[in-house]
Amino acid sequence: MFAQTTLATPDVSWLAIAPEITLGLGAAIVLLVEVQFLPPIRRLGALVGGILAVAFGFSVWQWIRVDELLTTTDSAEFLAGFLPFGEMIVMDHGSVLARFALLTVAALGIVSGWQLFERLGRRGAEALALVLLATSGFTLMASSVHLMMMFLGLEVGSIALYILAGITRDRISSDEAAIKYFLLGSVASAVFVYGVALVFAATGELSLLDARSFLSGTIVTRPAVLLIGMAMLVVGLGFKISAAPFHSWAPDVYQGAPAGIVGYMAAAAKIGGFAALIRVLHTAFPSLLAEWAPLIAGIATLSMVGGGILALVQDDVRRLLAYSGVTHAGFILMGMVGGGVGAPEIWFYLAVYTLQLVGAFGVVAVVAGATGGPTPIAAFRGLGRTQPMLAVAFGVLLLGMGGLPLTSGFVAKFGVFQTAWQAGFEWLVVVAVLASVVGFAFYLRVIVAMYMHDEADDAVPAPTMPSRTVVALTAIVTVVLGLLPAPLLELTARAIPL
Amino acid sequence: MSPEILVPLVIAVPLLGAVFLHFLGRRIGEPLAGWLATGAIGTSFLLGAISSVDFIRGTSEHGESIMLWDWMPAIGAAFEIKWDPLAALMTLVVTGVGTLIHVFAIGYMHGDERFARFFTYLNLFAASMLTLVLAGNYAMLFLGWELVGLCSYLLISFWYTKPSAAAAGKKAFIVNRIGDLGFMIGLMLVFFHFGTLSFDGIFERAGEVLTTGTATAIGLLFLLGAAGKSAQIPLYVWLPDAMEGPTPVSALIHAATMVTAGVYVVARSASIFQEAPAAGMAVATVGALTALWAASIAIAQTDIKKVLAYSTVSQLGYMFLAVGLGGYVAGIFHLMTHAFFKALLFLGAGSVIHGMADEQDMQKMGGLRKHMPVTAATMGIATLAISGFPLLSGFWSKDEILAVAFEAGGFASVLYVIGLVTAMLTAFYMTRQWVMVFAGDSRWDEGVHPHESPRVMTVPLIVLAVLSVGAGLVNTPFRLGLEHFLEPAFEGIAMAHPPDGIGMFLLLAAVSVGAGLVGIAMGGFVYTRPREVWTRFQTGFGRLWTAWESAYRVDDLYGAALVTPGRKASEVAAFRFDLPIIDGLVNGVGRFFTESGTRSRVIQSGYVRHYGVAFVGGLLLAVIWLLVVGGA
Amino acid sequence: MLTWLIAAPALAALVVAFLPKDRKELYLPVGFLLSFVPLAIAGYLFFDFESGEAGFQFTERIPWYEPWGIEWNLGIDGISLGMVVLTTILFPISLAASTAINHKVKEFVVAVLFLEAGLIGTFLALDLFLFFVFFEAILVPMYFIIGIWGSERRIYAAIKFFLYTAFGSALMFAGIIALAFLHAGQEGVASFAYQDLLGLDLDVVDERLLFAAFGLAFAIKVPMFPLHTWLPDAHVEAPTAGSVLLAGVMLKLGTYGLLRFNLGLFPEASVDAVPIMATLGVIGIVYGAAVAIVQPDLKRLVAYSSVSHLGFIVLGTFALTSAGLQGAVIQNVNHGLTTGALFLLVGMIYERRHTKKIADFGGLWKVMPIYAGLFLFATFASIGIPGLNGFVGEFLILVGSYATLPVFAIIAASGVVLAAIYLLWAFERVFTGVPDKPENQALKDVNGREIALMAPLVVLILLLGLYPQVLLEKTEASTEAILDRIEAVTDYEVPAPGRLDDVFVAEGAEE
Amino acid sequence: MIEVTAGWYMSLAAVLFSIGLLGILVRRNALIMFMCVELMLNAVNLTFVAAGRALGSLEGQVSVFFVLVVAAAEVVVGLAIIVAIFRRRESASVDELSELAG
Amino acid sequence: MIELVLFVVVGSAAIGGALAVIFAKNPVYAALGLLGTLFSLGVFYVVNLAHLVAVVQVIVYAGAVLTLFLFVIMMIGVDKDQAGDEPLRYQRALVGGLGLIILLVGGGLAVGGRFDWVPTASGAETLPNGTVEALAGRLFTDWVLAFEVTALLLTIAAAGAIALAYFKHDGSEPVE
């Protein structure tokens, strides 16, 4: 009786989503194992480590596969592998890079914040699962070439982060962080999806590629809807990357959320947000570059200057890092004003910066101590004498964020500066170089505290082995990439989006 | 041996002496250190003498320039020696007088804890002075020029624990520097126009390269420099203070040698001044005025060394008068004779001070004649010599200068009159000094037991006395030995000469000798009488005398006009401008940022709904921007 | 070779860093000994250097990351040679002078050695990107040296120093990027190599902007009036070694940069900028000296004297005559030696009395004659007494700049007088008179180590004063080359004093 | 007669969206702020549907489903957070949560 | 004609409900206002040929979500602290300003007909009256990945709810 309609199955490329599947299943497994066996949290940690490793392995495989695809002549095979699932997501170097970055950040974040997970006890399992899920969400967001897909990924990531922000119950400020993050975040995503709707209304397309071809094909006589939609997309993502004036959540959340997880939260949101921003603006609206480039430049300026000035007067290192994150959002946005050509520099900057971020928050977590209490700059006094190794690493990381030559931060800054200059935004570069000087000003305040003041009253606990390793690792990478950036640069150089 | 080797040694020997004494002087100690130093400079006297034989014989006319090594080739500066009669003469004077003063100093500095160091400086000075006179280019000349200044600084403030001495040394150096400023600028011009600083490169082409304008400029700038070194108006103020130094220093540096450097430079640059008569006249005028000015001050001084100091200034004025008018031989001639008798005077004064246990106030002396006969006799001779007593050295040289001035005529005849008056004053105050010190009855405090100085000090006095008597004979109107000797050095220069003819000579001589005798008579008449007479005599001049006594209060004037305002100015610059304004601005920038930071913190009020407002506001801005740019 | 010259101190720093914790007494000696390695290399370079050779020697070029056109591009010429040698000489001395450092000795030695590596790198780098890397990186060790081992207001001074200079170099960084892309625009490929960038033809506006960007960075480093106020603070607070290196080498980055990059890359703009730069230079000379006169603190006084002396270098540089440039180059070295010596001496007295206030002293000559002698020597070197090095540079500069900037030269000459005033007055107050204060009477004279520290400086001061040819003959070709380039690309003509035609031109000017 | 184009519906949606947006700013009860978010999401849905119809594309309607799902998930989490906070401090006013500032 | 009437009536109802949400003193009224809006939107969905959506709208939103809201409202008590006062200074003014701007921009666009837009070529074929099957087709072919991702969402929601709101009976937390 029922009319049999045959559905045309889309090209399915399991490889393209293998990491996400791993993560998703992994999360489920973690939860189930926890419920079933109540294992010690360490076991779960090992398990999560394994999951991340597997996911990373898949990503590497993807990378290789992408290289192959790019060499194939068979267009069908190419499309099937490159744009699987009805062109919902793309498997290109950019998306794989995003996976590398996010997985690394997740691993390091968990390790450096391990104390927290141990303290969470049974809730630790949920926390771990949520980290995995958030990661998968952001990877999807980064690899999607379809607005709704992007929205879903964004939500998966964000909602997980809202929960993580409020997951610890020992501190009131954790609640505040969670609710602020959640309310503002959901408004932002509402704005984003409204933008999706408007773009859909204006172009009739949700797929970025189709939208581009539509826009390149037709002259939009009444672009109001399209433009408003675009603005809303930019704003929605601007919130995720905490660019001024959409940054206001960042300081409070960084300060309120448990120290152990902030590093990951900040880094993951930035990676996903920027990956999406590149895709939306470059893949869908290259024809409107002239319109949105100035807008991006404006946001960048506001972020660099405003963030810098506010960071100058912070007393809590977490807030300081939050505002510095705002300035960094501004710097990274500079790489976008030239369109897609800046993508490699953006990716380099993201990789470098997020590593430093995680490392820095690793230190913060140590100083915050088990309770994840407040971390005023005063708490870092005399760290150079009490915890020399920690202090040196932190100093390196801070100077790296400041963009001091011989650190990776400098190379990264140089990259985005030159793309902006190439794009004809000389004034933006001038603003940026001056802003980076302001940057030094507030990073130095911490260094001053560490090296030029006497010890604080309550001694800083010795860092645990895991966090020690993470901090050291990130610091070393910062220096090494500052001396020999070429390998990573050659990697990111391939990440030109469609 | 040929000068190429010997002449460099003239400089090298005392220099090595200085270096040696610097490191080992303390070890070998007194008096050997002194004898070593004396030996060093004595050696270079001999070397100089040997090398200048040819000039005296007249076999080698122009001498030669000896290239040692490159210094600043970009501006034609090298370590090169110009060995010509002028240099030779200066060398002999410097080393000759220098040797005698070294000997004297051995006795004078006896017992000083830094005995050896003193001779180190003396030798260093000798080397520097010789560098100055032997220099083959202006750069090297300037090298010596500055080094003698340095040595004079070291020697004036030799007794540095005396604040006055330290201050005097500093003052001397800085005032000299002001002069050097002029000299340096002069050198800049020279280099700019000649492209080199080497004498040979300059003097041949002076005529073709220089216009009167530039020549005058250079000349005046050199005059400024010379005025600094040779203590002429307006820069003479350091010399009286320089008397803080040990007396041998005053004799050597501030009477015989260093202060004559200015005269030497003018003579050396004759070919430049030739292009600039105005500059020459300026030199002469400055000289004449200084002569009178200083002489008038000397009249009223009661410090035995101050009298000599102002007298030196005044005599240097004579030399300037001469060289300014082009009477180079006359100038140099007087330079030489003056070196002898003024050195003698200073040493004599030193001997007196020595014998009087460091008493310098002439009012506390008198009647020393019988206690220190040698000193008295020798100083008497010197006094007569400087007063231009016939047939003594001063007579010949001074008369030649006056004669030159007379001959030049025109404005110069005014200068001649000034010179004449000065001659009279000189005679007066010198006689006054001698009488106050040696004649009359003793006025010294009890406890003081004046005694003749040891042989080592008196011998130099005697030698110098002989020279003061006889040195004049090298250049008399009847036998112009010095003139012939120096001529090669001034080849191509139109030199001013005294009028020819014995009659004229006798007439002028008579006039000046008359002036001198008047002075002597007056001095003798007043100051052999008891004190009341002097005071009546002095009060007779009223305010004028006090003005002289206080040296016209020029120091106070400079202090009020230059030093204090300068200090004020730099204080304002440092504490009213640099710190509050410039640095204030810098810190202001920093404060601006932090301030704006603190102010903008209110935006981050912590109220989520405020954040919402910010968010929505941003959103609207973005929308509106895109709509506007997108042309919707 | 050059790479090793940079690497040697860096490696030395690592060696020290990995010395065992319990052998504290080793840190300083080891660092000191290792700092002779770069000195040896530099010495070799100096004697192997081809005199009369205008171009760069011992060059090394290895691409760093082609797509961006950045390279590891080193070379040395007459202008940098002197600075490199000076640097390598001053470092062992300042290390040996740091026995008073009693806490965090290891960190100190490491910081100093890294600073050396950075400074040498800055002088050798021919790739502008690389140059900037070093130029900025050296701020950190110096920042720590001032901030950790300095005196009371060290933190204020350190931060001020860091931010002020970083601010200056920020715009230069933009300028460097701009240059690279201008090159890309003309040659198709972005390049930061000095050799390539020389070939650019810039339009007037660009060139002036770039000149300004670079100029600002270097003017702050020099420091030129009115950007000098960080210097006194930094000097006063820094430890002895810090002051010596700051004044001796770091400030020279400014003058070196002006000479190498502003003159080298932007000849047109340089010629146009002569009035401004010369004015600032002369103001610096007079103003610095005037302010120095009344400074109550010895180090502040010497710091302001540096402002004054470096004014001479700026003037000489922008006089654009061969004598002026040679003077500037050699004065760079001279000032390093004399001021270094002065700071060493002040440091010695500070270690004994823990004060730098002139008012606290008096009559020291009596209690420590050798010290007084050394101080007097350095003082006169700084005043510019002929026969000592200071004179050679200043005299060349003055005589050289008269040809093009007569008025400026004349005003500048007055700095010579002022120098005598402030230095001798200070000397008088510190050393002469009787030592009335009890704590001064007990002072010990300099010991063997301290004399050994000063000895090389004294020797060099005399050597460069009496026979500057050792350096000048090597620099001449390079300075001439710069002038030739300026003459080639602009209508400016370097005056050759003494040429009769010039003389007549000058007459015309006078009438 | 006037024809009701999709533009009308979209305008209506825009109005609703704006109301929701401003509502967030004026209400300080977390729950109600959260309702405002729902309001915004519904405005989005209306846009999707209307536009989808006008374009004759199903994508609009499909999207609505996902928006719904997201909304549901958000509700769960959001209410959980609100409840958790309420447990601690007996109030749902966000104005009382303003320790973190500056 | 009917559509116009519907639009005016229901549309005003929707707006009314929305306004109720942001102005009602009592959270319950706010919830009911929201409910009204949801229903009116359901109507519009029907009008716009999105029947399935309309149904889901009513069931899911009105049925589930709203109930949940009301439940929580009841649980945490209906606090009347939402008096007319506004603790934050300038807040009202700011919001008013923003509203005004929105009004101006939106109004301007609407008047200028700018917010109206041209249905594009792809809109040639019109939707079938009854789209369930077609929807299913879309969902399970091209959108299948998105469909799966919603699974992640729900997992998160579940895990999150537990993590956040899970307490022992004594009210103390399992952590301590």
Side-chain angles (χ1 to χ4, degrees), chain B residues 71 160 170 177 570 578 583, chain C residues 160 228 287 304 416 428 433 465:
Chain B
W71 193 16
Y160 50 74
K170 185 192 64 183
R177 269 264 144 164
S570 66
D578 197 60
D583 203 18
Chain C
K160 188 175 188 176
H228 61 277
Y287 178 82
Y304 276 106
V416 177
E428 179 189 2

Side-chain angles (χ1 to χ4, degrees), chain B residues 157-415:
Chain B
S157 44
F158 183 76
W159 288 317
Y160 50 74
T161 45
K162 261 197 345 199
S164 53
K170 185 192 64 183
K171 181 177 181 182
F173 192 86
I174 290 171
V175 174
N176 267 302
R177 269 264 144 164
I178 297 172
D180 304 347
L181 177 59
F183 196 15
M184 276 177 94
I185 300 173
L187 294 187
M188 296 183 208
L189 269 97
V190 171
F191 175 75
F192 177 67
H193 291 291
F194 293 91
T196 175
L197 290 177
S198 164
F199 290 154
D200 302 344
I202 295 169
F203 295 149
E204 288 108 46
R205 299 172 46 222
E208 72 199 60
V209 170
L210 290 176
T211 59
T212 320
T214 28
T216 315
I218 297 176
L220 290 177
L221 288 165
F222 279 12
L223 168 58
L224 183 55
K229 227 6 127 220
S230 298
Q232 297 297 294
I233 290 175
L235 299 179
Y236 68 89
V237 286
W238 62 271
L239 188 54
D241 296 26
M243 294 304 130
E244 288 288 342
T247 309
V249 173
S250 318
L252 177 60
I253 301 184
H254 307 118
T257 55
M258 182 187 89
V259 288
T260 63
V263 184
Y264 169 76
V265 164
V266 177
R268 197 37 111 184
S269 320
S271 53
I272 293 176
F273 278 92
Q274 187 170 23
E275 305 300 321
M281 190 50 76
V283 175
T285 319
V286 169
L289 289 179
T290 314
L292 181 57
W293 180 265
S296 66
I297 297 174
I299 288 178
Q301 298 306 311
T302 55
D303 181 318
I304 183 168
K305 286 181 74 177
K306 281 277 164 56
V307 178
L308 297 177
Y310 282 107
S311 148
T312 309
V313 177
S314 159
Q315 295 299 312
L316 289 165
Y318 270 115
M319 303 177 206
F320 269 59
L321 172 59
V323 292
L325 293 174
Y328 297 109
V329 175
I332 300 297
F333 183 30
H334 192 60
L335 184 160
M336 182 181 83
T337 54
H338 173 261
F340 296 142
F341 56 67
K342 185 51 66 65
L344 174 51
L345 283 169
F346 267 111
L347 293 190
S351 153
V352 170
I353 297 167
H354 192 74
M356 293 287 296
D358 299 336
E359 177 57 68
Q360 297 203 15
D361 184 353
M362 298 194 295
Q363 296 166 10
K364 297 222 174 83
M365 296 180 184
L368 287 178
R369 184 160 77 265
K370 45 188 102 54
H371 296 276
M372 29 182 76
V374 182
T375 316
T378 48
M379 273 190 87
I381 294 171
T383 310
L384 292 177
I386 193 174
S387 316
F389 193 80
L391 305 182
L392 298 189
S393 58
F395 164 78
W396 301 108
S397 51
K398 188 184 292 180
D399 273 18
E400 187 168 353
I401 295 175
L402 291 173
V404 166
F406 180 84
E407 174 74 0
F411 177 67
S413 33
V414 179
L415 305 183

Side-chain angles (χ1 to χ4, degrees), chain D residues 1 6 9 12 25 27-29 38 42 45 53 55-56 58-59 61 65-66 68 71 83 86-87 95, chain E residues 1 3 21-22 24 38 44-45 48-49 57 61 75-76 82 87 91 117 123 125 131 134 138 143 167:
Chain D
M1 65 159 279
Y9 292 106
L12 175 62
L25 309 183
R27 300 310 297 258
R28 54 182 181 277
N29 180 328
E38 295 301 321
N42 277 282
N45 287 351
R53 174 204 181 187
L55 294 158
L58 271 178
E59 307 287 313
Q61 296 188 17
F65 282 100
F66 292 97
L68 281 178
V83 168
F86 183 79
R87 289 266 181 82
D95 285 4
Chain E
M1 190 60 214
E3 192 174 2
V21 172
I22 69 169
L38 297 178
F44 286 136
Y45 294 161
N48 283 292
L49 309 179
Q57 168 89 353
Y61 257 118
M75 182 173 112
I76 70 176
Q82 293 280 357
Q91 182 72 358
W117 91 116
E125 104 273 1
T131 56
R138 307 292 301 143
W143 288 74
F167 286 86

Side-chain angles (χ1 to χ4, degrees), chain C residues 101-432:
Chain C
I101 301 290
N102 48 17
H103 70 294
K104 298 212 186 126
V105 180
K106 176 189 276 189
E107 289 81 349
F108 177 81
V109 178
V110 172
V112 170
L113 288 170
F114 272 126
L115 180 64
E116 178 171 19
L119 284 167
I120 296 175
T122 325
F123 288 121
L124 296 183
L126 293 181
D127 180 287
L128 266 67
F129 183 85
L130 185 62
F131 170 79
F132 183 80
V133 167
F134 285 122
F135 188 79
E136 191 89 341
I138 52 173
L139 295 185
V140 177
M142 185 47 95
Y143 165 77
F144 279 116
I145 291 175
I146 297 174
I148 298 180
W149 295 280
S151 42
E152 307 77 32
R153 291 171 70 237
R154 59 183 190 282
I155 296 174
Y156 165 78
I159 292 182
K160 188 175 188 176
F161 157 80
F162 191 106
L163 293 182
Y164 208 146
T165 31
F167 161 76
S169 44
L171 288 174
M172 176 171 75
F173 189 45
I176 290 176
I177 296 175
L179 268 177
F181 282 114
L182 286 170
H183 186 271
Q186 293 179 13
E187 313 294 330
V189 49
S191 166
F192 293 85
Y194 183 78
Q195 302 94 319
D196 304 352
L197 295 175
L198 281 177
L200 285 178
D201 51 0
L202 309 159
D203 75 61
V204 184
V205 182
D206 288 358
E207 187 168 344
R208 289 189 177 172
L209 286 175
L210 288 166
F211 182 94
F214 280 69
L216 178 65
F218 297 135
I220 287 178
K221 236 343 180 239
V222 168
M224 285 167 66
F225 176 89
L227 306 169
H228 61 277
T229 48
W230 63 269
L231 185 64
D233 291 321
H235 271 321
V236 172
E237 304 306 328
T240 306
S243 303
V244 173
L245 299 174
L246 195 58
V249 188
M250 238 177 178
L251 304 188
K252 307 307 178 305
L253 290 178
T255 45
Y256 167 81
L258 285 173
L259 187 50
R260 160 85 73 232
F261 296 106
N262 284 45
L263 247 55
L265 293 175
F266 319 120
E268 190 80 59
S270 308
V271 174
D272 302 342
V274 162
I276 306 162
M277 302 302 272
T279 313
L280 289 179
V282 169
I283 292 180
I285 295 173
V286 178
Y287 178 82
V291 174
I293 293 176
V294 289
Q295 289 307 320
D297 179 301
L298 271 175
K299 271 190 164 183
R300 274 192 100 80
L301 187 143
V302 183
Y304 276 106
S305 83
S306 298
V307 175
S308 177
H309 283 110
L310 287 155
F312 276 102
I313 303 183
V314 175
L315 178 65
T317 309
F318 283 89
L320 302 180
T321 64
S322 55
L325 282 188
Q326 288 188 33
V329 172
I330 195 167
Q331 186 65 0
N332 266 336
V333 180
N334 291 338
H335 177 263
L337 294 171
T338 46
T339 313
L342 279 173
F343 275 122
L344 276 179
L345 290 161
V346 177
M348 293 174 191
I349 196 68
Y350 181 73
E351 287 166 18
R352 287 167 169 69
R353 280 279 275 105
H354 299 293
T355 172
K356 304 187 288 292
K357 293 261 163 297
I358 293 174
D360 295 342
F361 299 110
L364 292 193
W365 200 334
K366 190 122 196 75
V367 280
M368 30 201 318
I370 305 177
Y371 177 75
L374 290 169
F375 202 101
L376 197 60
F377 183 83
T379 304
F380 276 112
S382 177
I383 289 178
I385 283 289
L388 305 183
N389 60 355
F391 173 75
V392 178
E394 284 179 6
F395 197 63
L396 277 171
I397 290 171
L398 288 174
V399 173
S401 45
Y402 182 84
T404 48
L405 307 163
V407 183
F408 294 95
I410 290 171
I411 303 172
S414 67
V416 177
V417 180
L418 293 171
I421 292 176
Y422 60 76
L423 281 168
L424 285 185
W425 190 40
F427 185 86
E428 179 189 2
R429 283 175 293 170
V430 174
F431 288 94
T432 63

